[in-house]
Amino acid sequence: MQIIDNEADEPLVINILPMIDVIFAILAFFIISTLFLTRAEGFSVDLPEAETAQSQQEAFITVTIEGNGNISIDKKPVALNELTKTVQAQVGDPPAEGLRHRTEALLTVQADETIDYGQVIAVMDQLRRVKGASLGMATQQPAQAGDSK
């Protein structure tokens, strides 16, 4: 028995537009998710370069001095005269004499390289008054020849 097909055969078409939409959605997901993997403790500042810069332990508290002179602790603005009190409240009271000594909290100062040197010293002076904390300065390694900033 023979079947006669009078309908014209339509050519097969692969529609790639939905596939492109799915690929862009996946790409957008990965781009957005990687933004949350970066360390974002302070505001974006241009750190000064230092060839002797060494990686330290994770900062307990990050104090940022922006290029416009604003001071913030972990992205929360704070006035210079309130800095010691605010940081001491976050660090807590140091252990009493004779008790087991806990490790010191590391306070890291991130200062924009364009900021006035006097303001950096004023912030460091306030932070040195915090009992039970050590002070560090954030810098970055200089770019090697051929590296781009």
Side-chain angles (χ1 to χ4, degrees):
M1 178 169 158
Q2 196 172 22
I3 299 176
I4 301 173
D5 188 13
N6 292 335
E7 294 181 19
D9 289 334
E10 294 181 19
L12 294 176
V13 177
I14 298 175
N15 192 356
I16 64 168
L17 289 178
M19 186 173 60
I20 292 173
D21 290 341
V22 170
I23 289 173
F24 278 124
I26 292 171
L27 180 64
F29 170 77
F30 282 115
I31 289 173
I32 291 171
S33 64
T34 56
L35 293 175
F36 294 106
L37 296 177
T38 60
R39 184 176 168 194
E41 289 181 1
F43 293 101
S44 177
V45 293
D46 294 326
L47 295 175
E49 295 180 350
E51 290 185 22
T52 59
Q54 296 177 357
S55 178
Q56 297 292 323
Q57 68 184 12
E58 183 104 3
F60 181 68
I61 296 173
T62 302
V63 178
T64 305
I65 309 171
E66 297 176 73
N68 58 8
N70 293 340
I71 302 170
S72 61
I73 298 174
D74 297 330
K75 292 190 175 183
K76 295 177 187 134
V78 66
L80 180 63
N81 56 356
E82 296 289 321
L83 190 60
T84 303
K85 184 171 62 170
T86 305
V87 172
Q88 187 68 58
Q90 289 185 5
V91 169
D93 294 326
E97 292 293 323
L99 295 178
R100 205 176 80 202
H101 183 68
R102 67 176 166 95
T103 59
E104 288 188 334
L106 177 62
L107 307 177
T108 302
V109 177
Q110 284 185 332
D112 193 283
E113 66 182 348
T114 60
I115 199 69
D116 182 42
Y117 182 68
Q119 186 169 8
V120 175
I121 295 300
V123 168
M124 290 175 63
D125 188 44
Q126 292 291 320
L127 293 176
R128 278 194 207 111
R129 297 177 184 172
V130 176
K131 292 180 172 53
S134 61
L135 189 59
M137 294 294 295
T139 60
Q140 63 184 357
Q141 292 282 342
Q144 301 295 328
D147 288 349
S148 61
K149 273 192 165 182

